[in-house]
Amino acid sequence: MHATLDSIYQRVLDRNPGETEFHQAVREVLESIGPAVDKHPEYAQARIVERICEPERQIIFRVPWEDDDGNIHINRGFRVEFNSALGPYKGGLRFHPSVLLGTVKFLGFEQVFKNALTGLPIGGGKGGSDFDPRGRSDREVMRFCQSFMTELYRHLGEHTDVPAGDMGVGARELGFLFGQYKRITNRYESGVLTGKALVYGGAQVRREATGYGCTFFVERALQTRGDSLAGKDVVVSGAGNVALYTVEKVHQLGGRVVAVSDSSGVVHDPKGVDLELLKEIKEVRRERVSTYADQVGHAEFSSDRSIWDVPCQVALPSATQNELDADGARSLVRGGCLLVGEGANMPTTPDGVRVLRDAGVLFAPGKAANAGGVAASALEMQQNASRDSWTFEYSEQRLREIMVDVHDRCHATADEYGRPGDYVAGANIAGYARVAEAMLALGLV
Ligand code: GLU
């Protein structure tokens, strides 16, 4: 690593002990932006990198709530407002028992660069809780969301901080959160949350956007090699919002998704996943993917097989961080994989990325490939601000254009800095340059 950046990284390690995922995210960026730091000494003089690594504000709060049997539970809520040089803090809320401050900081840090890459006016932030919605009744989820928003509302605003969903936070949770925000503030402030249902100010294509966007990015990346998704076997880890709509778009573009997964195991369907059935199982019945194999005779379910052992030409890790390690990457290479596109945030470990890079596999990092979700959120904010709503076709067209731009920006930046085809360098440098320029313009704030 560049010497100045290495000393900045050491300081990040010292000041944020135990936050391993945050360290990993910072390291990955600092390892690639050396050439941009050399090219712009004015950024170094203004200590831009040090400032980017320190969130503008971190909020931690208690979230007490009562379950259906009258038992009291105490969870912890977080919102890390990382950087607002380009616009209001923007980024999702994650409800998952594994969520710690370091998790939210890693996600918030990634979000700053991702949002910058979209070219839209959004800063970066992230939030969430260690609350586990799994197995909870709708009323319990509602009581939790109301308690969470009773603290969070004072930090939000359409021009200040605009959360959305992430793992464990979908349309149901966002509805309860918006209801409580409206009740406390007495304001119908549609633009304060994105990912809303269509009936109360949501936008077409927001639900599909992360998966569709990742697929558009991948299609564009394949095009640079004179190739396409048509006729390819694809594996998509996960079976949440990102994975489901990735499967949908891959199928529309002529690829065939042969495996999906969730925390219970992997389903391999060599004939191509039946998406309508999978949606019914995951979105309506909220069941596990094993049910899929119970209903589809030729599909196989395994609770201990790795999804990366299923041979494919394209792999789209879309579940969670660090799910694809060096062993998984080696399996993919053995199985003939040409491209890995990250639908989730940081799903590939640093060792995994190295294995893929050494084998010449095209690698599309999450902060570029999964930017479609937040890009569609920015379009939702735009529609809310003008009290307008666009058609599905127009919204999808805008999303596609944005993803092609994100791809081309990463590709061109990688070329400019002598790293052709290196989307990690391209994404990190292009994201950094845009945030740095805005921060420089705004003075020491
Ligand atoms: N949680 C999503 C992400 O990781 C979406 C954020 C948003 O729409 O604000 O980018």
Side-chain angles (χ1 to χ4, degrees), residues 99-115:
V99 168
L100 296 168
L101 178 62
T103 323
V104 181
K105 280 167 72 175
F106 120 64
L107 291 162
F109 184 79
E110 290 282 288
Q111 199 84 47
V112 173
F113 295 85
K114 181 195 304 191
N115 295 4

Side-chain angles (χ1 to χ4, degrees), residues 47-173:
R47 308 283 293 268
I48 297 290
V49 180
E50 289 93 321
R51 282 155 63 192
I52 285 183
C53 292
E54 183 69 18
E56 289 177 15
R57 191 176 297 107
Q58 307 184 51
I59 302 144
I60 306 181
F61 50 100
R62 180 171 69 195
V63 190
W65 59 281
E66 203 173 337
D67 68 22
D68 289 343
D69 300 322
N71 302 308
I72 290 174
H73 298 259
I74 313 294
N75 284 99
R76 190 174 286 171
F78 302 95
R79 187 74 183 164
V80 174
E81 298 181 333
F82 226 109
N83 195 299
S84 60
L86 291 171
Y89 308 107
K90 184 81 199 86
L93 298 171
R94 176 175 292 193
F95 291 170
H96 191 273
S98 66
V99 168
L100 296 168
L101 178 62
T103 323
V104 181
K105 280 167 72 175
F106 120 64
L107 291 162
F109 184 79
E110 290 282 288
Q111 199 84 47
V112 173
F113 295 85
K114 181 195 304 191
N115 295 4
L117 277 175
T118 65
L120 299 165
I122 39 179
K126 202 83 181 194
S129 174
D130 56 0
F131 170 70
D132 187 359
R134 186 184 308 252
R136 291 290 170 197
S137 69
D138 289 352
R139 299 185 66 80
E140 288 175 325
V141 170
M142 181 179 77
R143 284 196 291 275
F144 174 81
C145 289
Q146 291 179 340
S147 181
F148 184 83
M149 187 54 92
T150 301
E151 169 58 32
L152 190 64
Y153 86 95
R154 69 189 82 245
H155 308 288
L156 306 184
E158 61 179 325
H159 300 294
T160 306
D161 185 349
V162 183
D166 195 84
M167 282 162 65
V169 179
R172 174 181 62 170
E173 290 74 17

Side-chain angles (χ1 to χ4, degrees), residues 19-26 28 94 98 102-103 106-107 110 167 237 306-308 317-329 342-354 363 366 370:
E19 297 178 350
T20 48
E21 290 161 337
F22 179 51
H23 302 162
Q24 183 183 334
V26 170
E28 192 241 21
R94 176 175 292 193
S98 66
T103 323
F106 120 64
L107 291 162
E110 290 282 288
M167 282 162 65
S237 65
S306 161
I307 190 164
W308 316 123
S318 306
T320 192
Q321 62 268 23
N322 293 326
E323 54 168 317
L324 171 54
D325 61 8
D327 281 344
E342 295 187 324
N345 291 309
M346 208 170 73
T348 316
T349 65
D351 286 347
V353 176
R354 230 162 280 135
F363 177 71
N370 74 34

